[in-house]
Structures are given as structure tokens and as C-alpha cells.
Amino acid sequence: MNNSFVNTARLLGAGLRALLVLTVLTGILYPLAVTGVAQAFFHSEADGSEIKAGGKVVGSSLIGQQGYGLDYFQPRPANGLGENSVNKQYALILSGATNRSADNPELIKWVQEAKARVVKDNSTAAYKVRPSQVPADAVTSSGSGLDPDTSPAYAEIQVHRVAERNGLSVAQVEKLVEEHTARRTLGFIGEPRVNVLELNIALRELAART
């Protein structure tokens, strides 16, 4: 047996041993360790930040949903604000930005139409929404198109409509919004926000009790 064959066999053996060790470490032990730590200390996040209602999973706090009737709080628009929306149902495979510039005529038209719709939908006999009250997140989609949150300002202009349609007082619904408004992280990171799914679940429960 010549030296060349012996050296080759030795290298192959070392390579196979390294492959086996690394496979066990990075393919089995490391994933198990990370999963164990995640489940032990971040159980909700590790399971997808699920939101439950009536004992059933109804969504995730990280992903927005469309399709709410006007009895409920409305989320940010899906990508595309007009009939050519590419993400009307928040379908994950279609997530992404509209890729239109701020001065794009089509985008401007969509925003104007969306603002008029927000004013009309949220004005009641006792409360009239002014166009100047409509915040940007009420008429534009987020960069991902899957934003689960709205601004407190958008939730606020929906309060009177939601209260009227559910037979609740404005004070009750305003209190509900306040309870579901998350503040800036650590007091300075991000903006105050309202998770629409969590708010609508609480609204449904309140309306049922009332």
C-alpha cells in the first residue's frame, strides 16, 4: 500500500469524522438548545406570538389581518390602495411595498380616495371626521404590507363609529383603545401603537357582555 493511498484514506477519514461531529453539533444539539431556551424563556414569541379567542388561535400579534366589517376597528390598508391592490387579504406570499414614489399620480389618487373613504366611514350623526384628522397610516400601507398595528390617532377617529354600531358608549370604546395602546419601547424607541386584532377581540367581548 503506497503512501499516497494511505494519506488519501487518512484525509477522507478525518473529513468524515469532522462531518459527523459538526452535523451532531450544528444540526442536532444547537437547534435543540436554542429551541429549549426559546420555549423556556420566550414561549409566546417562539410559538409565533399567537393570539387566541374562545380557546382558538385566531392570528398572530405580528401579522395584520384584513376583512373587518365597519362594526370593528379597521387596520392599515393592504398594499396598493385602489382596485389594483396586490395584497388585499394580507396574503403572506404577496407581502411587500407598493414600489411607487411619493409623487406617483396613481399613488396620490389612491391616497385621496382612501382619505375620502375614511372620512365617510367614520363620520356619524354626532361626530364628523375632518380630512385634516386622518393620519398617514389610515391611507397608506406599511413597507411590508402586513403591519398589525395602527396609530392611536387612527384608532381614535374610529371610536364614534365603533361605539354607535355596537351599542356602546364613546367613553367605553375610548377606554378600550387606551387599554390596548402600547407605548414606546423603553420610553423612546418607536411610536405608540394599537394592535388591531387584539383590540377587536376585546371589543367583541365587551359588546357581548354589554
Side-chain angles (χ1 to χ4, degrees):
M1 186 179 295
N2 59 45
N3 290 335
S4 177
F5 180 82
V6 172
N7 290 335
T8 300
R10 186 178 299 151
L11 288 173
L12 285 174
L16 288 173
R17 288 194 298 273
L19 175 63
L20 178 61
V21 170
L22 290 174
T23 298
V24 172
L25 287 175
T26 63
I28 300 176
L29 297 180
Y30 176 73
L32 285 176
V34 171
T35 300
V37 171
Q39 289 294 333
F41 299 102
F42 308 100
H43 179 71
S44 175
E45 292 82 352
D47 285 347
S49 300
E50 295 173 339
I51 295 178
K52 295 183 178 181
K56 296 181 179 180
V57 176
V58 296
S60 168
S61 64
L62 303 177
I63 301 175
Q65 298 182 4
Q66 289 278 326
Y68 296 108
L70 290 178
D71 290 354
Y72 294 94
F73 286 91
Q74 302 299 298
R76 292 188 70 166
N79 279 335
L81 305 173
E83 292 301 316
N84 296 321
S85 170
V86 299
N87 197 15
K88 292 184 178 184
Q89 299 302 319
Y90 274 36
L92 302 187
I93 196 170
L94 296 175
S95 64
T98 60
N99 292 327
R100 289 173 173 81
S101 63
D103 60 352
N104 181 281
E106 189 175 28
L107 179 61
I108 293 173
K109 178 174 179 290
W110 286 353
V111 169
Q112 291 172 339
E113 290 173 348
K115 180 175 286 192
R117 194 159 53 246
V118 169
V119 170
K120 178 183 177 182
D121 288 346
N122 293 287
S123 292
T124 66
Y127 179 76
K128 300 298 181 183
V129 176
R130 300 186 304 276
S132 60
Q133 290 178 271
V134 179
D137 64 295
V139 295
T140 57
S141 61
S142 65
S144 69
L146 302 172
D147 193 346
D149 305 319
T150 65
S151 65
Y154 187 26
E156 184 63 34
I157 65 173
Q158 300 184 63
V159 164
H160 288 76
R161 165 180 54 78
V162 169
E164 183 179 271
R165 285 176 168 265
N166 287 278
L168 301 169
S169 70
V170 171
Q172 284 178 300
V173 181
E174 285 181 334
K175 184 173 183 292
L176 206 62
V177 172
E178 176 63 25
E179 290 172 347
H180 288 81
T181 298
R183 305 304 174 186
R184 289 181 173 89
T185 304
L186 301 179
F188 67 93
I189 300 174
E191 295 293 331
R193 58 202 179 277
V194 181
N195 187 284
V196 179
L197 177 56
E198 292 177 348
L199 178 60
N200 281 333
I201 290 173
L203 170 65
R204 183 185 298 170
E205 293 173 350
L206 176 61
R209 292 197 304 270
T210 305

